[in-house]
Amino acid sequence: MAMTPDALPPLAYGRAITWIAFSLTAIGVLMIYSASTFWGAAKFDDPAVFLKRQLVGVALGFAVFLLCARLPVSFWSRRAGLVLLSALALLALVLVAGSRFNGARRWIRFLGFGFQPTEFAKLAVVVWAAAIAVRKGPALSRFREGFIPAVLPVVAVCGLTLLEPDFGTCLFLGGLGMLVLILGGLRMSHLMTAGVALVAVVTVFMLTRFEYIRDRISFFAGEQESYQVRQAFIALGSGGLAGRGIGAGAGKLFFLPEVAGDFIFPSIGEEIGFLGVCLVVSLFMAFVWCGYRIARLALPFDRFAFLLGMGLTAWVGFQAVVNLAVVSGSAPTKGIALPFISYGSSSLVVCLAASGILLSVARAAEARRDAA
Amino acid sequence: MSAPPPYRGMAIRAGGLTGMVMVLFLALLARFYDLMVTRHAEFRAAARGQTSTSRQTMAFRGALRDRHGRNLALTRAWPSVAVDPSAIVPEDREAVAERLSATLGIPRRTVLEQLAKDSRFRWLSRQITDPRVLARLPALACGGVEVREELARSHPAGRVGAQLVGFTDVDGQGLSGLELVLDTVLAPRFGRQALLRDGKAGLMRPPVDEASPEPGRDGADVVLAMDLTIQTFVEEALDRVVAAWRPVSAVAVVLDPRNGDILALASRPTFDPGARRNVPAEATRIRAVTDSFEVGSTMKPLIAAAALDAGLVGVAETIDCTEDGSYKVGKRTLHDHHPLGRLSFPEVIVKSSNIGMAQIGQRLGIDRTYRLFRALGFGRTTGSGLPGEVPGKVTERARWTEAYTLASVSMGHEIAVTPLQFASAFSALVADGIIHRPRAILRIGDREIPPAPLRQVYGKDVTRNVMAPILARVVTEGTGTKAMVPGHVVGGKTGTAQVLSRGGVAGYVASFIGVAPMDEPRFTVFVLLDRPRRDQGTPYGGTCAAPCVGEILARCLGYAEIAPSRSTGDGRPEARARHAKGR
């Protein structure tokens, strides 16, 4: 009767995901401190300033993790609309009241902390897509009743993100939403016709409008190696097999851009080497595997839990893939953080929220399995 | 099939998606392996290239010191003050200018001018040595004002010994004198300190794991044979004689005849080694080695002593210097200043008879005279190591003639010697016949340079018992009376040589060589004036050079605390006689 005989119960994967998430967070805190001391000392006269801020994020993220782990899965399916609306509201707010950085409005300042609505939007898109897919059921495969109402809100989120402007995150959000919808039964043909057209229009628009994106893409397409990628290569390459030792990297001496943020991985590679890189990548792979197993084990009982679990897993997995592809020069520079590890409270909090929800899904699956 | 179709499709899609993510991760790992392991060496080199840099560390040029360790030239780090005008906002300029002007002692307007410049760096005051300003400097630190150390050569003795010491350019490279010839030993080796450069190329810090690979080393200190006190006597005496006689140039040499030490070496024109700019090359020459002269009669004792030493003339012998003051050698007729008649051997020297010397020269002969000159070091550089040294000129052996060369050299003509060569040769005559290589340097770093006795030119008996009293008589009763030093027995010889040009006599080279004390010679002083003024008659060596030598000797004897010797009424040194008896 069972589709796949499974030796491990869902909760085992849930526990594993918890430890993986905490391990990645811990590695992140350590490497942020190592990477940011010179930057912090130069900019804020405090070598530990980024460490301190990230630790606040860790505390907050841990609280959110506990909360999400306790909330029933149904909480999200019932409030999917509200979650999406909140995301849209925050994205709209950032366009009005957001603080500018490098020509883009991406943060909302609140009580001395910066909050990035796009990070929350990732969670919102996954929750919404999973909920709508389940709600529509077989109707999802029809264009008017299924495709349009399911896809439009996702497009709205993407549109607001694009206005910040944040092209990379816009693409990522769109892709994530579509992925969950496809898993939920969206017809590929509809997506092809509408989605591809939309993406093409948007892309052309962006290319003509925003020079920085054009530059990034032309950098990547052309022979010219961008300074950022060159520095990432130098940092990674000088790490070798075992690394130069924690704290001994040179990339953080104002060579690597965003050394604690999007480009923290080269700094990790430089200091703990290819072996360290393998460790971090293995943790992400384990996260994806456990997330997949949790979702798969929930599938027989709860399609929403399955889609939610797969969405969250794919989110973390793809975001890690994209970040690693960027720092290894395999994709154009996007401004996508490395989940759990990159500096930034918003990203860390939503990643821990995702882990908490996955644990909650695992619990639910465990309960239903025990009940069955 | 238990799962309904939609579930099954979802499961497959989820599995496919997961598989895809896994494959992407594995592909990325392969990519990282390539970057981090395969291309490790390439990127490690690139990392090193962009992070490692180095900075020169400070090292000092060696000092030049006199024989008693007194500084003649030394390098120190002096603070210099600069401003970064871009870091001082216009509203603050007045206040900053006020403070800088008060601290540095420079006009407020000058500071304001520099602060108004569109620049990141302007010097305000360089190489500050004023102790009052130095004391105020620590209070100066503020944004936009920088104090940095600069190396500079200073010359505590000023113009004293200027040519010998020489000077350096602003980078500390020797340009003249001993600064030039000893440049390689004086020059410091600057070290390099490895530094880590960051991506802003602004902040630098020593690397954690690397020790400084090249430590710097200061240049070696050099101790000269020169005695600053004696050099000062010489400079002052030269200033006076030059003011009085306005020669084209003037040279003075003081040697220690016992070991050839160059105690003082000076010439005019001179220069200020601290000035650095607008120093005429003329003034930097060490004329005691770069210029050679026909010294004239001053040469006579060197020839006479050789003839005596060879037994070709006796001390008691009388020489016919003719009643009419003229004498034919071959086709050439020689003249004395005035007819002298028959003279004893000592009188020939004391009265400086050309005719007498020509006859003594004839007896010595071409071969011996030529060999004498070689033995005395004429026609070759002395090996003093001083820059620009010339060998002088001795006529080629094959071209010597009895009537011309031999007769001329006996009177100190047709032979050109540098003042140092001559002083060195004459020192042999008073130092038991032993000639030393002139020693300008006593010590380089830890290496001692020993005195270098070269050879025995004259017999000791001749120099001590015969020549010494004769030279003393030159000063007591002959042409050199103006070199007399009361209470001391001084020996010497005058010389006045014509400088001929196409139009006749262009001037004279007036010289005097003096030695004291004659019983145990400590100082050989040679002063030579090239073409002194003639408006008060012929400038004889005895009238212009001798007083200068006398003055230098008097001060040297006092400085060396040499007790006056009682002398007999006729000038014969009783002390010397007693000394000779004792042996």
Side-chain angles (χ1 to χ4, degrees), chain A residues 61-252:
Chain A
F62 188 65
V64 171
F65 170 84
L66 290 179
L67 181 70
C68 291
R70 268 165 180 70
L71 284 174
V73 178
S74 58
F75 171 87
W76 299 103
S77 65
R78 270 184 270 123
R79 287 169 183 79
L82 187 67
V83 169
L84 189 77
L85 275 176
S86 319
L88 285 169
L90 287 169
L91 285 169
L93 184 66
V94 80
L95 289 179
V96 183
S99 40
R100 282 185 175 274
F101 182 74
N102 283 353
R105 285 161 301 193
R106 292 180 183 176
W107 279 271
I108 295 171
R109 295 251 156 250
F110 180 68
L111 294 177
F113 282 92
F115 175 67
Q116 242 181 316
T118 47
E119 292 298 335
F120 177 66
K122 289 170 187 168
L123 181 64
V125 162
V126 170
V127 168
W128 162 258
I132 195 76
V134 172
R135 210 171 296 160
K136 293 287 175 190
L140 193 64
S141 60
R142 287 194 287 274
F143 190 77
R144 286 255 308 268
E145 298 100 294
F147 183 83
I148 297 292
V151 168
L152 266 186
V154 176
V155 171
V157 169
C158 293
L160 287 171
T161 308
L162 190 60
L163 288 175
E164 284 187 0
D166 188 346
F167 187 56
T169 308
C170 164
L171 279 186
F172 187 79
L173 285 168
L176 190 61
M178 295 312 142
L179 198 80
V180 177
L181 289 174
I182 289 166
L183 278 177
L186 199 70
R187 271 173 68 170
M188 289 293 273
S189 56
H190 295 155
L191 195 68
M192 292 295 181
T193 47
V196 170
L198 185 72
V199 166
V201 167
V202 167
T203 307
V204 170
F205 170 73
M206 294 302 298
L207 285 180
T208 52
R209 175 94 192 276
F210 299 107
E211 284 179 2
Y212 85 102
I213 300 169
R214 206 170 51 195
D215 289 347
R216 281 183 185 182
I217 292 178
S218 63
F219 255 134
F220 189 71
E223 288 299 300
Q224 209 175 354
E225 203 174 58
S226 83
Y227 170 80
Q228 297 181 326
V229 172
R230 174 75 190 158
Q231 288 302 330
F233 283 8
I234 289 174
L236 286 166
S238 59
L241 193 65
R244 299 171 69 158
I246 290 178
K252 61 196 176 192

Side-chain angles (χ1 to χ4, degrees), chain A residues 37 218 363:
Chain A
T37 47
S218 63
R363 278 218 185 98

Side-chain angles (χ1 to χ4, degrees), chain A residues 1 182 231 237 253 303 328, chain B residues 2 10 13 31 40 50 199:
Chain A
M1 134 96 212
I182 289 166
Q231 288 302 330
L253 296 175
R303 279 179 62 208
S328 63
Chain B
S2 51
M10 279 186 189
R13 280 185 249 184
R31 172 76 172 144
H40 174 53
Q50 73 178 5

Side-chain angles (χ1 to χ4, degrees), chain B residues 128-249:
Chain B
I128 299 165
T129 51
D130 185 337
R132 288 166 303 169
V133 178
L134 288 175
R136 291 196 294 254
L137 277 185
L140 197 62
C142 79
V145 178
E146 188 191 347
V147 180
R148 58 166 82 164
E149 302 256 279
E150 278 198 298
L151 295 180
R153 199 87 170 143
S154 60
H155 301 86
R159 302 166 83 96
V160 177
Q163 292 102 355
L164 187 58
V165 171
F167 71 118
T168 63
D169 64 13
V170 73
D171 299 316
Q173 185 106 32
L175 292 183
S176 81
L178 291 173
E179 294 271 28
L180 173 64
V181 284
L182 295 174
D183 197 51
T184 48
V185 296
L186 290 169
R189 197 177 63 194
F190 293 113
R192 294 216 74 86
Q193 182 191 17
L195 288 174
L196 213 52
R197 183 174 57 191
D198 63 36
K200 289 181 188 165
L203 290 161
M204 290 188 177
R205 47 185 80 81
V208 189
D209 51 347
E210 250 174 296
S212 183
E214 292 173 54
R217 198 190 54 201
D218 293 343
D221 292 344
V222 173
V223 176
L224 274 60
M226 184 239 265
D227 185 313
L228 186 59
T229 308
I230 294 174
Q231 180 75 31
T232 309
F233 298 158
V234 168
E235 300 278 359
E236 288 172 5
L238 264 191
D239 280 341
R240 268 190 284 279
V241 76
V242 164
W245 292 94
R246 296 202 299 275
V248 173
S249 67

Side-chain angles (χ1 to χ4, degrees), chain B residues 416-482:
Chain B
V417 294
T418 66
L420 184 65
Q421 274 176 336
F422 185 71
S424 166
F426 206 90
S427 291
L429 189 61
V430 297
D432 297 340
I434 299 164
I435 187 164
H436 289 81
R437 179 187 300 137
R439 183 165 67 151
I441 295 155
L442 298 186
R443 200 159 64 237
I444 296 177
D446 297 329
R447 188 164 60 90
E448 300 276 352
I449 294 170
L454 297 175
R455 61 193 79 84
Q456 185 89 37
V457 184
Y458 301 105
K460 192 171 163 181
D461 182 55
V462 164
T463 62
R464 269 195 183 269
N465 300 331
V466 184
M467 289 312 291
I470 294 172
L471 295 172
R473 278 180 66 189
V474 171
V475 175
T476 50
E477 60 189 80
T479 50
T481 50
K482 290 191 171 161

Side-chain angles (χ1 to χ4, degrees), chain B residues 267-283:
Chain B
S267 55
R268 292 293 177 274
T270 187
F271 70 104
D272 176 5
R276 197 173 282 143
R277 254 180 284 246
N278 304 322
V279 174
E282 274 287 282

